Amino acid sequence: MAIPNKGRLNERSIELITKAGINLGDDWGRKLNIKVPDLDLEVFFVRAQDIPIFIDSGAVDFGITGQDVTAEAGKELKNVLNLRFGQCRLSIAAPEESAIARTGKMEDGIRVATSFPYLTRKYFEDRGISAEIVFVQGAAEIMPQLGVSDAISDLVATGSTLRMNRLKEIDTVIESEASVFTTQKVLDDPDKKDRIGEIVDAIRSVLDADGRKYVMADVQKSRLKDVERIIPGIGGPTVVNIAGNDDWVAVQAVISGDDSYRVVSDLKKIGAKGILTMPIERLVE
């Protein structure tokens, strides 16, 4: 398995796989690869841009990287799980005072600075526009001011960097987020498919637990209808008898973290006792 060794995707990738139960040990930050004996798994820490190439070549079986860099690599990979982070878009932008920004029209001969030459060239080719692609390693936003390009094709998350550099978005080339990728060849191997599936399911359980809380409380049996209204949970709250007390039951449910204040408050109003809320690390539905 390959995961990004730095950059915008690194921290959340590490968090997901460790919460999923993949133990990277104490010194993972100082090694380029970690062996996880319990899972017969080896994790490699490499550049996000290189991961699609390593997966396509068979150097690794699967990995986490952005949809943007995967599309830029031009490899036929299989997306097996969207990870709900690293959301951004590759956009065409031009100086606010330019004719391109005013009209949104791009013509033959336009010069576009980008670190995504493949996707950018394809974008203009698909629209029948002859564009000069100027490859840059970074800081594309400054290129129009330097006279290097008329526009840029760059990753945008909030758009604040574009606004700071007085650039206006013209169009979106591709939407992107972090995902788990593999190849059809790997999926055709039953053993690898099953093992990767187990890891993907474990990561999915972490994603499904995000923003959820586990709530427990003791309530009178006569108020169970109120409890069902207050905490519907996943398929309704679980109700457990309390030993030695026929009039009270323990109720348990998974709720949205955004609802926790309301749920606790409403449970108190119906006389619930011993109310407890806890974060959830994994949730298998």
Side-chain angles (χ1 to χ4, degrees):
M1 179 183 191
I3 61 174
N5 62 349
K6 58 183 179 180
R8 61 191 176 91
L9 303 183
N10 168 261
E11 186 174 333
R12 179 58 171 159
S13 296
I14 296 293
E15 181 184 10
L16 281 177
I17 66 173
T18 53
K19 282 186 175 181
I22 300 174
N23 184 8
L24 298 178
D26 298 326
D27 54 354
W28 63 263
R30 297 185 294 273
K31 291 185 176 180
L32 296 178
N33 63 301
I34 298 286
K35 291 187 177 181
V36 187
D38 292 347
L39 299 178
D40 192 21
L41 174 72
E42 190 166 8
V43 180
F44 292 86
F45 301 91
V46 294
R47 291 197 324 151
Q49 295 91 333
D50 294 334
I51 291 176
I53 300 170
F54 292 160
I55 296 173
D56 181 69
S57 69
V60 298
D61 293 306
F62 68 118
I64 295 174
T65 192
Q67 295 170 0
D68 53 339
V69 296
T70 301
E72 176 63 24
K75 306 300 183 182
E76 291 292 328
L77 303 185
K78 296 293 183 180
N79 181 344
V80 293
L81 182 64
N82 290 332
L83 297 176
R84 310 174 199 171
F85 77 95
Q87 289 89 350
C88 62
R89 58 193 179 274
L90 181 64
S91 291
I92 306 295
E96 294 174 344
E97 69 280 4
S98 68
I100 298 172
R102 290 196 305 271
T103 65
K105 186 177 181 181
M106 294 174 282
E107 300 178 341
D108 288 347
I110 185 173
R111 297 171 302 158
V112 186
T114 185
S115 55
F116 290 82
Y118 173 78
L119 288 174
T120 303
R121 183 174 292 107
K122 186 176 185 301
Y123 169 88
F124 283 100
E125 287 176 351
D126 289 346
R127 287 155 182 77
I129 301 172
S130 176
E132 179 186 345
I133 307 302
V134 181
F135 177 69
V136 294
Q137 293 284 0
E141 298 90 349
I142 198 68
M143 297 305 158
Q145 295 182 40
L146 295 175
V148 174
S149 68
D150 305 306
I152 68 169
S153 173
D154 202 18
L155 293 181
V156 178
T158 64
S160 60
T161 302
L162 292 183
R163 291 190 292 272
M164 287 174 57
N165 288 277
R166 302 187 64 187
L167 295 168
K168 179 182 177 181
E169 277 189 81
I170 307 301
D171 198 8
T172 299
V173 177
I174 186 176
E175 299 275 356
S176 177
E177 67 177 290
S179 297
V180 179
F181 290 96
T182 186
T183 63
Q184 187 59 53
K185 182 179 179 180
V186 169
L187 295 176
D188 288 339
D189 182 321
D191 181 53
K192 288 185 177 181
K193 180 180 179 180
D194 288 346
R195 291 167 62 198
I196 291 173
E198 290 176 357
I199 293 172
V200 167
D201 285 344
I203 294 173
R204 184 183 289 109
S205 72
V206 176
L207 295 173
D208 289 342
D210 274 356
R212 306 281 190 96
K213 287 186 180 294
Y214 190 69
V215 61
M216 297 184 290
D218 294 341
V219 299
Q220 292 176 305
K221 284 185 178 179
S222 60
R223 305 307 298 266
L224 278 178
K225 287 294 182 183
D226 294 319
V227 172
E228 292 175 3
R229 172 183 55 81
I230 295 169
I231 47 174
I234 300 176
T238 300
V239 180
V240 181
N241 290 327
I242 297 176
N245 193 332
D246 294 333
D247 297 326
W248 288 71
V249 291
V251 297
Q252 309 162 22
V254 176
I255 63 172
S256 166
D258 294 337
D259 292 335
S260 61
Y261 179 89
R262 176 194 59 80
V263 168
V264 171
S265 178
D266 288 350
L267 286 174
K268 288 174 65 178
K269 289 176 183 177
I270 66 169
K273 298 179 180 179
I275 303 171
L276 176 66
T277 63
M278 298 182 295
I280 303 172
E281 190 165 273
R282 294 178 59 183
L283 175 63
V284 180
E285 298 189 80

